Amino acid sequence: MIQVGKTNQLQVAAEFPFGFQLTATGDDDTTVTLASTSAPADLKVGDTLEAFVTTDNAGALIAFAQTPLIQIGETRVLRAVNATDFGAFFDWGLEKDLLVPAQYQEQPVNPGMHYVVHAFYDEKTSRVLGATKLHYFLRDKETGLEPGTQVECIVYSKTELGYKVVVNEVYAGLIFHFDAFKPLRIGEKLDAVIKNVREDGKLDIALQRVDKVGRRTLEEAIIDDLEAHGGFSTLTDKSQPDEIYARFSVSKAAYKKALGALYKQRKIVIDKQAVRLVTK
């Protein structure tokens, strides 16, 4: 069965002056047109190839040998190339741009800027479309994730409370401003952690673990870093937050707590200029 909006394994059933007719194995009734301009060189009847299947403006199935930047069910960062009253167009790596209709836009789209886009198949129009209004498509309640679980996030919106994120391309989550500890950009990809699963199933996300496991891991990372640099580091509790984040991907507050714990354990000494590893 041919999956629209996905890459399919197809076979060349016929060749025409303008291109090729493709079918799926065991499905001779459904045909897809592959234009000559998109076909690999030396393609001939009987060959098989992987091709991305979508629809043209009339709803007919067409194929591209190129793999697009996004397929249905996926959420990716794409660049807008044009905007009209009825919708905006995004570069997704194919000759034909991806349409994001006006009703599926979180906010007006500006050409040249990057946005977080979800691709879906619209039954009403029989077309593969995109959306920047992501809450239509993301699950707002988790099914099995637990606090402390490492996740991948994409920032897609900023609110008064914090940053809305796509979690593992499936769920909606929120990073509160006090858990972000640095400005985040729309479209930024982050390694994060589940901080809390609320009673209603919604996800609170943090950029770092704040439990005992997270603190212990950070302490171990600091010791490893000191050992790798001859037992000496100029990254102190007085350093700038961005310098600390660049080295350890944690907030300044978390770094200071870890240094304090290591100092109490007599594993390091700290002064205004440096942190030194205690040698036995």
Side-chain angles (χ1 to χ4, degrees):
M1 179 179 178
I2 294 176
Q3 294 182 291
V4 180
K6 295 280 190 177
T7 297
N8 295 255
Q9 185 78 21
L10 302 175
Q11 186 173 34
V12 180
E15 182 176 359
F16 303 104
F18 57 84
F20 299 87
Q21 185 182 77
L22 309 180
T23 61
T25 303
D27 185 11
D28 296 332
D29 294 332
T30 304
T31 60
V32 183
T33 300
L34 174 67
S36 299
T37 54
S38 179
D42 302 324
L43 188 66
K44 59 184 183 298
V45 174
D47 287 351
T48 60
L49 77 161
E50 289 193 344
F52 177 77
V53 177
T54 184
T55 58
D56 61 16
N57 293 334
L61 296 179
I62 57 174
F64 293 91
Q66 302 91 340
T67 300
L69 300 176
I70 188 173
Q71 302 191 37
I72 61 168
E74 296 179 343
T75 305
R76 298 284 187 270
V77 179
L78 301 178
R79 183 176 64 88
V81 295
N82 194 14
T84 66
D85 291 337
F86 66 87
F89 295 89
F90 285 77
D91 177 13
W92 61 332
L94 301 180
E95 298 173 12
K96 178 185 175 184
D97 295 324
L98 178 66
L99 172 65
V100 175
Q103 66 267 32
Y104 288 105
Q105 295 176 20
E106 181 74 21
Q107 58 188 15
V109 172
N110 295 314
M113 294 186 63
H114 288 78
Y115 296 84
V116 181
V117 179
H118 182 86
F120 68 100
Y121 181 73
D122 182 42
E123 297 285 352
K124 293 181 180 178
T125 61
S126 299
R127 297 180 69 180
V128 178
L129 300 174
T132 59
K133 191 175 287 186
L134 302 183
H135 68 268
Y136 285 154
F137 307 97
L138 298 176
R139 300 182 196 173
D140 60 357
K141 295 182 180 180
E142 65 84 25
T143 55
L145 294 177
E146 297 179 353
T149 303
Q150 297 290 327
V151 292
E152 295 181 353
C153 297
I154 303 177
V155 181
Y156 73 90
S157 179
K158 183 179 180 181
T159 71
E160 292 183 357
L161 293 176
Y163 298 90
K164 293 181 179 180
V165 295
V166 182
V167 181
N168 289 348
E169 294 195 16
V170 177
Y171 307 104
L174 179 68
I175 301 176
F176 287 98
H177 285 298
F178 53 78
D179 284 323
F181 63 76
K182 69 164 189 167
L184 301 178
R185 304 185 309 275
I186 304 302
E188 185 173 357
K189 297 180 180 180
L190 306 165
D191 290 325
V193 65
I194 303 295
K195 180 181 180 181
N196 180 48
V197 180
R198 301 183 217 169
E199 291 185 0
D200 60 3
K202 295 184 178 180
L203 300 174
D204 295 335
I205 309 297
L207 297 188
Q208 64 190 42
R209 295 192 67 153
V210 294
D211 56 7
K212 290 182 178 179
V213 173
R215 290 193 292 271
R216 185 166 61 249
T217 301
L218 177 55
E219 291 169 18
E220 293 171 354
I222 293 171
I223 294 297
D224 290 343
D225 182 72
L226 286 167
E227 291 176 344
H229 293 86
F232 175 87
S233 174
T234 58
L235 198 67
T236 70
D237 54 357
K238 306 298 183 183
S239 297
Q240 294 299 312
D242 56 347
E243 295 176 325
I244 295 169
Y245 185 81
R247 182 79 64 85
F248 294 105
S249 298
V250 299
S251 67
K252 182 172 181 176
Y255 183 67
K256 290 178 68 174
K257 287 181 180 179
L259 289 182
L262 291 172
Y263 179 79
K264 289 180 180 179
Q265 298 167 36
R266 299 182 179 180
K267 293 183 178 180
I268 62 172
V269 292
I270 309 171
D271 58 38
K272 294 182 179 180
Q273 285 74 40
V275 175
R276 293 177 174 84
L277 188 64
V278 173
T279 57
K280 297 181 180 179

